[in-house]
Amino acid sequence: MVHLGWVGGVVGLILATFISLHANTLIAKLHEFGGKRHIRYRDLAGFVYGPRAYYVAWVAQYVNLFMINVGYIMISGLALKAIYTTFRDDDAMKLPYFIAIAGFTYCLFAMCIPHLSALRVWLGVSTLLGLLYITTAVSLSLRDGAHANKIFTTIGASASLTFAFNTGMLPEIQATVRPPVVSNMMKALYFQFSVGVLPLYAVVFMGYWAYGNSTSHYLLNNVSGPAWLKTAANVSAFLQSVIAMHIFASPMFEYLDTAYGIRGSALAFRNVSFRIMVRGGYVALTTFVAAALPFIGDFMSLTGAISTFPLTFILANHMYLVANKQNLTSSEKLWHWLNVCFFGLMAATATVAALRLIAVHYKTYHIFANM
């Protein structure tokens, strides 16, 4: 909203919702293609195009997921810093320190959760924590908004919008869905892109309504209110980010476990040692990137341009074309080709825009800056 203003922001979010739903629907419909289930995005791409596409999709997907992980570490660090500044108005503790603490905390969590299905009850905890954050942020923004000065600008931010809605790991998330597989995946998608987007809309619109272009990339930095309430919301944001990050780190962990033959009891000495060294190394790299790049949002825009656009929109439409070329009408083929061309152009344009923003901000901020 800061970059798009009211008209562009509202229209952009709604369009991104419907476009993302359409693209993910295509992937869901290909989940059972060619007489088999494809539980990884790269498996589907490899089945449709061949071995080379398998590796291209693998690289694009993991770049995307790595940046999501960096984003969660950044949010966790911002939440911890917000708790600190609520009670102490000094500069003794800087953002990189809090990001390091967040990374260490997540590392401990990753050691205890050997695989994605082991999250179970933690997903319910994550939901409750997310609701507490959303309720507090919206309520305090509503109270503050009656006195805020609202400024509007319109700047392109399409890659950030698509990054907000898409991860490129729909097959992995739905890998254990019960039959009928496609039907149940569609139900989940319809729920997510209707009821599921409402909390996102609430935070985005209320935050921008209250604070306009002065809105921080971490909304609770703007709100005023009781210290205990803001602290509770920040603690919720921190803990929820630690849990949610594991979802998007799990594909990388699963790949590493498979590549190095990790199997059997999660408590076996070899398996525990592997998690400590390999997962710890991955989290350390993620934490370093989050702490070193204070303008990480620009890199997420770049990631949206070079991986989210191709994975979610270009490949989804083209794979659907290839898989169903004998069953599509001419108008349907034209529609999917228009999507391929349009989002290819968008990806190229957004890449240039993101690189320009990175160059501009690189002159303003130094690495490990305290923001």
Side-chain angles (χ1 to χ4, degrees):
M1 294 294 289
V2 169
H3 298 304
L4 293 169
W6 274 115
V7 175
V10 173
V11 172
L13 276 173
I14 293 174
L15 281 177
T17 303
F18 282 103
I19 292 170
S20 300
L21 173 60
H22 172 260
N24 281 281
T25 295
L26 299 180
I27 297 298
K29 290 180 177 178
L30 293 174
H31 189 68
E32 287 186 319
F33 170 59
K36 61 181 297 186
R37 289 183 63 177
H38 306 279
I39 62 173
R40 300 179 183 87
Y41 194 104
R42 61 184 184 272
D43 293 338
L44 175 60
F47 187 83
V48 174
Y49 298 119
R52 183 175 297 179
Y54 174 94
Y55 292 105
V56 171
W58 185 92
V59 172
Q61 184 185 44
Y62 283 103
V63 167
N64 203 37
L65 295 178
F66 177 76
M67 293 306 293
I68 292 173
N69 295 334
V70 170
Y72 272 117
I73 292 290
M74 176 70 79
I75 291 171
S76 300
L78 288 168
L80 289 177
K81 183 183 177 185
I83 295 171
Y84 179 83
T85 56
T86 298
F87 298 98
R88 294 193 58 173
D89 188 19
D90 59 45
D91 204 29
M93 288 285 287
K94 302 183 184 298
L95 179 59
Y97 304 157
F98 293 110
I99 289 175
I101 295 171
F104 178 75
T105 304
Y106 173 68
C107 191
L108 295 178
F109 186 79
M111 299 304 110
C112 300
I113 309 295
H115 43 75
L116 187 58
S117 60
L119 276 173
R120 294 177 181 172
V121 69
W122 290 104
L123 295 177
V125 174
S126 174
T127 301
L128 293 176
L129 292 170
L131 288 174
L132 175 58
Y133 169 85
I134 291 165
T135 302
T136 304
V138 169
S139 300
L140 295 180
S141 297
L142 178 63
R143 191 192 70 168
D144 291 346
H147 309 287
N149 180 31
K150 305 168 187 68
I151 306 171
F152 311 104
T153 60
T154 304
I155 305 172
S158 58
S160 296
L161 284 175
T162 60
F163 194 85
F165 283 104
N166 300 282
T167 64
M169 61 175 290
L170 177 66
E172 287 85 349
I173 293 176
Q174 299 289 342
T176 57
V177 68
R178 295 176 180 176
V181 176
V182 174
S183 175
N184 286 333
M185 289 178 74
M186 293 303 300
K187 290 177 183 177
L189 285 173
Y190 288 140
F191 179 83
Q192 178 57 41
F193 284 94
S194 56
V195 177
V197 298
L198 295 181
L200 171 66
Y201 282 10
V203 171
V204 171
F205 294 148
M206 189 60 69
Y208 188 73
W209 173 80
Y211 309 109
N213 277 24
S214 64
T215 304
S216 167
H217 51 285
Y218 182 66
L219 182 58
L220 289 183
N221 285 340
N222 290 93
V223 302
S224 59
W228 68 267
L229 186 58
K230 292 195 296 181
T231 300
N234 282 309
V235 170
S236 297
F238 169 68
L239 295 176
Q240 197 271 345
S241 296
V242 169
I243 298 170
M245 179 180 170
H246 197 70
I247 297 173
F248 301 105
S250 290
M252 175 61 77
F253 296 157
E254 181 267 339
Y255 167 76
L256 292 170
D257 289 349
T258 302
Y260 289 93
I262 299 300
R263 58 177 62 88
S265 173
L267 298 179
F269 177 76
R270 178 175 183 268
N271 296 347
V272 172
S273 301
F274 181 85
R275 289 203 301 274
I276 291 173
M277 292 186 294
V278 177
R279 294 189 182 189
Y282 176 79
V283 175
L285 175 61
T286 306
T287 304
F288 176 82
V289 173
L293 303 176
F295 44 99
I296 192 65
D298 296 343
F299 286 90
M300 290 184 176
S301 294
L302 179 61
T303 304
I306 65 176
S307 65
T308 307
F309 270 126
L311 284 175
T312 308
F313 303 113
I314 300 173
L315 273 182
N317 279 277
H318 195 265
M319 284 193 296
Y320 193 79
L321 269 170
V322 173
N324 298 280
K325 57 185 175 183
Q326 304 299 329
N327 303 317
L328 298 177
T329 65
S330 298
S331 59
E332 288 174 327
K333 291 179 180 178
L334 177 61
W335 164 251
H336 291 295
W337 273 116
L338 285 174
N339 275 283
V340 170
C341 295
F342 174 75
F343 287 111
L345 179 62
M346 286 290 292
T349 306
T351 299
V352 174
L355 288 173
R356 178 184 176 278
L357 281 174
I358 291 172
V360 170
H361 286 162
Y362 183 77
K363 298 175 182 178
T364 304
Y365 300 108
H366 58 82
I367 63 171
F368 299 107
N370 182 38
M371 297 181 67

